[in-house]
Amino acid sequence: MKKWVVTIVLFFLLSTVFKAPVSAGKFFNPGADGTPGTWYVGATPDHLDPNAPVILFVQGLNSSARTWFDNNDMYVTAYNAGFQTAFVELFDAGGTSEDMWDNGQLLAELIEEIYQYFGKPLVLVTHSKGGIDAQTALVHYGVYPYVSNVITLSSPHFGSELADLAYSSWAGWLAGILGSRSDATYSLQTSYMNYFRSITDQHPNVNKNNYYTFAGTKWGSFGSSLYWGGLYLSQYGPNDGAVTVESAFLPNGTMVKVGDWNHFTIKEGSSTFSFFAPYLTTSTSMASAQMAAATVEDLTITDQTLTSGQIIRGGPFKEAGIESFLVEKGVETLTINWMSDVPVDTLEVIGPNGKRETVTVERIEDKGIFAGAWHHVAVLQKPNAGTWKVYASDDDAQAYLLVVSLQSDISNDLVLQNKHRKKIWKLETKQKKVREKETKATYSVDFTPYQNGQSIKNRKKLKIKEPISIASEITLPTVTEAGTYQITVEIKGKTKDGYPFERTLLKSVYKDEYGNFY
């Protein structure tokens, strides 16, 4: 683990810079420089309740303390509600995205110092990966006595399929250039988070604090930065554009509300503060009373209308890139997302008749797992069946990742089912909407070791086998070290009506140092 000298910025606390904002239209400026280990204290409200806890805000991946007060009224809302506040800078603020172990260790040191400064317990309000970092600090680094309650806002407690995508073989070129294959992204893979849950949920410290969780179901309109993530994640269930509702549930915690927030609005004061305010008290009595009043509607997960299957391609980009893919008959919506490290000059969509389709292409800059990437998204309704092509050109682009989403009757029909404790997987069809004998696949397995809390950059191509068919088994090769298998399955076949189709399936499997699979 890294050892960092913690810088405490306290001289600003009583200066004019920190004069209390008296209305929701004002923010404060702590003069933060983004140095990991720095922490700040907000102004003390004139109407402070001396028995109220201090709210310590913890940011998520690729973020900093400013996420709570720059273009966000969370700090002002907390101040006007009479709460003292504090903010931390973890490693993400310094441009290095670390896993929950490094961030958790740093946060543990800061929690103890902030507690000593205020002299009373803290309540943590966390966003996204910050919720995982917080639980790591409390459970594994033992600072639970300094904290009462923990609020997690859209935290991926079971990981993110977007992290799985970043570590897939197709995303290798783009993720490598962007730096998306960080230790933080590695630790957010669904399989690694299953491992994390296994060593956390049974830990003696896991119930020493009260955890209250929130999740969102909106992922923004077409053209928003969360749209493509929501579209990709929709095959796994309702989501907020970055985290699925299912992943936001925390064992040993209480899901308070699933609301119509996206991954950004869920951390805004005007959006969620009133909902989690009862859970900020250091006493559990108010929280218990509020939970008793929670309605069934509050706890109901409302599904998105869109379902999707995926076709995924990627690689190096040298002045131009072209990809082709099959679209079967009966597809309701075809969404093409061409991702690259820079905005491309030209993007053309060519139909089965060889003619260029007239489509509106939205350029979107990613702010999440693939931060720094540019999405070029086009949507077509009821596309013709046949072979489609996408052509992109740019002199500066170095890599691309193409994700094609299809809303169709056969989407999600083909799945990988686990056999024998996740070492053996079987390709199966759930609804028999394809011709099994005419559906074939190839699969590849990559392995990324994870040693001493850090991912090893040199991936290993372990095995390629072709072809396999429906009901065929994939047995993961034996490796000696701990790490993550990335399974990529490319499927081609025919629908029940005889139309050619194709799909890509991705699966992440983690093996620990004792040979257990997750």
Side-chain angles (χ1 to χ4, degrees):
M1 296 295 176
K2 301 180 180 68
K3 184 66 177 178
W4 287 73
V5 177
V6 180
T7 303
I8 307 174
V9 179
L10 297 177
F11 295 100
F12 295 98
L13 305 185
L14 301 178
S15 70
T16 56
V17 175
F18 278 87
K19 288 298 183 182
V22 295
S23 72
K26 296 182 179 179
F27 299 90
F28 81 133
N29 180 359
D33 62 0
T35 302
T38 305
W39 59 275
Y40 322 99
V41 176
T44 301
D46 295 333
H47 51 298
L48 173 68
D49 178 356
N51 296 318
V54 176
I55 303 177
L56 174 59
F57 290 98
V58 183
Q59 73 272 14
L61 179 69
N62 297 327
S63 187
S64 70
R66 289 184 175 275
T67 194
W68 300 106
F69 46 81
D70 277 0
N71 300 313
N72 187 353
D73 59 355
M74 181 63 81
Y75 162 68
V76 173
T77 304
Y79 171 85
N80 289 335
F83 287 94
Q84 292 173 287
T85 54
F87 306 84
V88 295
E89 299 285 17
L90 301 183
F91 288 114
D92 298 82
T96 302
S97 297
E98 301 292 353
D99 60 20
M100 70 283 288
W101 305 112
D102 285 348
N103 265 358
Q105 183 182 40
L106 178 58
L107 179 58
E109 296 172 359
L110 298 179
I111 285 175
E112 185 171 1
E113 294 191 20
I114 295 170
Y115 170 83
Q116 296 297 337
Y117 173 79
F118 284 102
K120 57 181 178 180
L122 312 173
V123 59
L124 307 186
V125 174
T126 68
H127 177 238
S128 196
K129 181 176 174 289
I132 301 168
D133 296 337
Q135 189 176 36
T136 303
L138 300 178
V139 173
H140 295 283
Y141 292 103
V143 292
Y144 62 85
Y146 309 118
V147 174
S148 56
N149 300 340
V150 182
I151 311 297
T152 72
L153 305 173
S154 189
S155 290
H157 297 295
F158 285 89
S160 171
E161 288 81 6
L162 293 174
D164 294 348
L165 175 62
Y167 267 86
S168 69
S169 58
W170 283 123
W173 282 90
L174 181 61
I177 289 174
L178 297 172
S180 299
R181 283 182 170 169
S182 64
D183 290 342
T185 304
Y186 188 101
S187 69
L188 289 178
Q189 291 178 91
T190 55
S191 60
Y192 189 83
M193 282 305 300
N194 284 334
Y195 162 73
F196 178 78
R197 296 260 59 89
S198 74
I199 62 174
T200 301
D201 296 340
Q202 304 301 320
H203 196 284
N205 295 339
V206 74
N207 291 317
K208 298 294 178 64
N209 304 100
N210 302 311
Y211 291 85
Y212 302 99
T213 62
F214 293 76
T217 60
K218 298 296 183 182
W219 24 282
S221 59
F222 178 65
S224 68
S225 60
L226 292 172
Y227 178 85
W228 90 273
L231 180 65
Y232 183 83
L233 292 175
S234 64
Q235 64 184 313
Y236 303 103
N239 67 86
D240 66 358
V243 176
T244 64
V245 170
E246 184 177 6
S247 185
F249 275 83
L250 176 64
N252 304 303
T254 300
M255 175 59 78
V256 178
K257 187 173 180 62
V258 177
D260 58 351
W261 305 294
N262 65 41
H263 198 66
F264 298 149
T265 61
I266 199 169
K267 62 181 171 66
E268 295 175 354
S270 54
S271 295
T272 53
F273 186 88
S274 62
F275 292 104
F276 65 71
Y279 305 89
L280 298 175
T281 175
T282 53
S283 168
T284 59
S285 58
M286 185 182 296
S288 299
Q290 177 73 7
M291 271 310 300
T295 66
V296 174
E297 183 179 359
D298 288 333
L299 303 176
T300 299
I301 299 174
T302 56
D303 201 355
Q304 300 276 3
T305 57
L306 178 65
T307 59
S308 61
Q310 312 289 344
I311 302 171
I312 303 173
R313 302 286 185 270
F317 192 121
K318 295 182 179 179
E319 296 184 354
I322 187 168
E323 285 287 354
S324 61
F325 53 89
L326 293 172
V327 174
E328 72 273 12
K329 185 179 181 180
V331 172
E332 292 294 324
T333 304
L334 172 67
T335 303
I336 298 169
N337 179 17
W338 184 284
M339 300 168 57
S340 55
D341 53 316
V342 298
V344 300
D345 293 329
T346 303
L347 184 72
E348 294 183 351
V349 179
I350 303 168
N353 59 5
K355 294 182 179 179
R356 184 182 186 278
E357 295 287 326
T358 301
V359 294
T360 299
V361 178
E362 291 285 346
R363 288 183 177 180
I364 311 164
E365 185 177 8
D366 194 281
K367 300 181 184 300
I369 294 288
F370 288 91
W374 285 84
H375 304 269
H376 307 79
V377 182
V379 179
L380 296 96
Q381 301 297 331
K382 298 185 181 302
N384 293 326
T387 300
W388 286 72
K389 294 181 180 180
V390 180
Y391 172 82
S393 64
D394 190 273
D395 292 337
D396 298 323
Q398 301 180 64
Y400 73 96
L401 176 65
L402 174 66
V403 179
V404 178
S405 301
L406 305 97
Q407 184 183 1
S408 165
D409 285 342
I410 71 166
S411 292
N412 300 325
D413 186 32
L414 291 159
V415 297
L416 285 176
Q417 296 287 0
N418 177 234
K419 308 290 180 182
H420 306 298
R421 297 177 62 84
K422 298 196 176 181
K423 182 165 183 159
I424 298 177
W425 295 81
K426 181 179 284 189
L427 179 63
E428 296 180 344
T429 175
K430 295 191 297 183
Q431 300 170 327
K432 311 296 182 182
K433 293 185 177 181
V434 302
R435 296 182 180 180
E436 294 189 24
K437 292 184 178 179
E438 297 181 62
T439 298
K440 303 295 181 182
T442 60
Y443 76 89
S444 63
V445 181
D446 297 337
F447 183 80
T448 306
Y450 199 66
Q451 298 174 358
N452 301 321
Q454 293 186 341
S455 58
I456 308 303
K457 306 308 178 185
N458 295 325
R459 295 156 56 83
K460 299 180 179 180
K461 183 74 69 173
L462 293 181
K463 187 175 184 179
I464 298 177
K465 180 179 180 179
E466 56 182 341
I468 60 173
S469 57
I470 302 297
S472 292
E473 291 185 344
I474 298 173
T475 301
L476 296 180
T478 300
V479 294
T480 57
E481 63 264 72
T484 304
Y485 296 87
Q486 289 85 25
I487 308 172
T488 302
V489 182
E490 300 294 344
I491 305 168
K492 284 191 175 183
K494 290 185 177 181
T495 66
K496 284 292 187 182
D497 296 330
Y499 287 92
F501 78 93
E502 63 180 309
R503 291 294 189 273
T504 305
L505 294 179
L506 303 179
K507 183 66 67 174
S508 168
V509 180
Y510 182 74
K511 185 188 80 69
D512 68 15
E513 58 186 315
Y514 304 107
N516 300 311
F517 289 84
Y518 300 89

